[in-house]
Amino acid sequence: MDDAGMARLGSFRAEVGRLAPGSHEIDLSKASFLCPAACAFMTAVRDDAAKRGVFLQVDGARCSDDLARHLEMSQVIPGERRSRTTVPVRIFPPGSTAFGAFLRDEWLPQLRDLTAPASEYVQLAMGEIFANAFQHSRSEIGVASCGQYFAKTNELHLTVLDLGIGIPATVAAGVGVREHELDPEKAIRWAFQPRNSSVPTSRGFGLAILSKFVSANGGGLKVYSGRGYAEIGALRSERSTAYPFPGTVVDVIVRRVLYVPGSKEELF
Amino acid sequence: MRIRLAERFGDTIVSGEAGEELCQEIAAALSRKDRVTLDFAGVAVILSAFLNPAIGGLYKSLSADLVDRAVTMENGSKLQQSSFDAAKESGRQYYNDARARTRREAAITDLIAG
């Protein structure tokens, strides 16, 4: 997941937006791999396009064998092949609460040696990503998600994606200015600060809880949202991007969970 | 009054709208001089999107002292207790603490000023 890849996904969505109703094929014959964000994005864009009569299909027979297998295991294309380490793409429509069961029953069991409090903490932190997307993004298709487990490093990845207005636009609307009047870098940094929220009933806990979870447990987090980018890991940084991503994509890496907060002060 | 959250909302509680509805129900109970206990038994995950309007929202129309004293929780995990306490504290600050309001407004002013 990098700026160039995100820009290509943005171009892809724009191109799909110009297609006339009917059936169209996505040509992946020259692609060698699709990252989880791209798999989730393609599925979300396909579902979104279908609402206006544009039906997109990937012909697995025209892809390389490796890519076709990967797309099938991710359920981007139909097929029977599955992997114990790939959590297929799922779309959760607006208002859905099924992501709780998805996290608990499909995604989290991949990670070894979790205590009950650690498991609960992971579900809380990851659940906040979904809740944030549902509450703020205005994404018409809802939220797409998928995951991947790497056994050698005991690393579990989660991708959560929406096709909404993006964090910078959400922050701008919340503080009463136009999006172009806010620096995306500052907007996304602001959104990750505890107690900063663009919605009166919210308190700015969601992203702050996630942020604390990642930094306290040695995980990693990347967010592309509109023209904003944030990364939390060994170092923390935010910046603007040259091309806007049409929505928000959050990519989280969970490696181990040694820290679980014991009080309200330790949540953020 | 005891409210069994899992029976009412399931084991994964995430909805802000459900939180707002519960807030009204608790406020009505408090106005009848009832005490309210939220029973977390069977709740696997409860998010701030629900707790903030459900619990923090009470401070909008009721005295902080009343909410602090009369709304409690039982059978929750340590993490759920932390989330419950955080929702209470933020609601108290948001609606009753002028300094917190000033800090919030200053943060927005800084953001807009660039």
Side-chain angles (χ1 to χ4, degrees):
Chain A
M1 203 165 102
D2 56 21
D3 284 21
M6 293 296 115
R8 280 197 294 275
L9 294 181
S11 301
F12 169 71
R13 190 179 187 204
E15 197 173 326
V16 169
R18 291 191 290 270
L19 292 175
S23 293
H24 302 270
E25 187 187 332
I26 303 171
D27 182 0
L28 293 176
S29 60
K30 291 177 183 165
S32 56
F33 178 71
L34 249 64
C35 70
C39 288
F41 186 79
M42 194 163 286
T43 306
V45 168
R46 184 186 62 196
D47 282 18
D48 187 46
K51 289 179 181 171
R52 58 181 186 87
V54 173
F55 300 102
L56 304 173
Q57 292 175 332
V58 177
D59 184 356
R62 295 186 61 190
C63 301
S64 69
D65 288 346
D66 283 349
L67 180 60
R69 187 173 64 247
H70 174 63
L71 294 178
E72 212 175 302
M73 291 187 307
S74 301
Q75 293 183 23
V76 176
I77 62 175
E80 299 299 319
R81 285 183 286 192
R82 295 288 178 270
S83 159
R84 293 203 317 205
T85 55
T86 300
V87 181
V89 179
R90 285 272 305 273
I91 302 276
F92 301 94
S96 169
T97 59
F99 63 84
F102 166 77
L103 289 171
R104 184 188 60 223
D105 301 333
E106 296 180 42
W107 179 75
L108 191 56
Q110 310 264 358
L111 202 61
R112 294 190 302 257
D113 305 328
L114 274 188
T115 62
S119 167
E120 185 192 352
Y121 187 32
V122 179
Q123 291 178 69
L124 173 70
M126 302 305 126
E128 293 289 357
I129 308 173
F130 285 86
N132 220 60
F134 281 124
Q135 190 170 19
H136 300 293
S137 75
R138 304 184 205 170
S139 173
E140 290 181 12
I141 57 109
V143 175
S145 185
C146 58
Q148 185 72 46
Y149 176 65
F150 297 91
K152 278 186 184 171
T153 51
N154 193 31
E155 240 179 42
L156 184 57
H157 291 231
L158 177 73
T159 300
V160 182
L161 177 148
D162 68 64
L163 300 180
I165 62 173
I167 294 172
T170 303
V171 170
V175 301
V177 299
R178 292 180 185 146
E179 186 182 356
H180 70 266
E181 295 176 294
L182 274 190
D183 178 352
E185 176 184 332
K186 287 181 177 161
I188 206 161
R189 184 180 300 133
W190 189 88
F192 271 91
Q193 296 302 312
R195 304 184 195 286
N196 283 350
S197 176
S198 55
V199 177
T201 53
S202 175
R203 299 284 179 273
F205 285 0
L207 292 178
I209 287 173
L210 173 66
S211 179
K212 176 69 177 281
F213 170 86
V214 169
S215 55
N217 283 300
L221 170 74
K222 289 180 179 178
V223 181
Y224 279 91
S225 187
R227 285 187 182 274
Y229 172 79
E231 184 170 349
I232 295 169
L235 297 172
R236 180 174 185 140
S237 66
E238 299 89 4
R239 60 178 167 77
S240 300
T241 58
Y243 299 97
F245 179 75
T248 298
V249 57
V250 180
D251 201 52
V252 191
I253 303 171
V254 180
R255 295 194 174 92
R256 61 189 184 281
V257 185
L258 300 176
Y259 172 87
V260 177
S263 68
K264 66 179 189 297
E265 290 79 12
E266 293 174 4
L267 265 179
F268 314 112
Chain B
M1 181 168 82
R2 173 176 289 270
I3 298 172
R4 293 181 173 83
L5 293 174
E7 278 180 19
R8 179 84 70 85
F9 304 106
D11 65 355
T12 303
I13 307 178
V14 301
S15 162
E17 287 172 9
E20 287 172 18
E21 286 170 18
L22 182 63
C23 179
Q24 291 178 11
E25 189 179 331
I26 296 173
L30 295 182
S31 68
R32 296 192 303 267
K33 312 285 186 205
D34 276 355
R35 296 175 66 86
V36 176
T37 301
L38 299 183
D39 189 337
F40 279 61
V43 175
V45 175
I46 188 163
L47 298 185
S48 64
F50 172 86
L51 281 173
N52 285 327
I55 307 302
L58 293 166
Y59 292 86
K60 184 177 182 181
S61 54
L62 299 166
S63 82
D65 183 52
L66 174 66
V67 179
D68 285 347
R69 193 167 29 82
V71 183
T72 56
M73 67 168 283
E74 282 181 1
N75 299 321
S77 67
K78 210 173 193 180
L79 192 60
Q80 289 166 349
Q81 180 74 57
S82 299
S83 298
F84 179 80
D85 292 344
K88 268 189 163 182
E89 183 181 87
S90 73
R92 196 185 309 117
Q93 286 184 350
Y94 188 84
Y95 293 111
N96 295 295
D97 186 339
R99 285 171 305 175
R101 196 160 42 245
T102 305
R103 279 198 299 272
R104 218 169 32 246
E105 287 164 1
I108 290 174
T109 305
D110 286 350
L111 173 69
I112 295 171

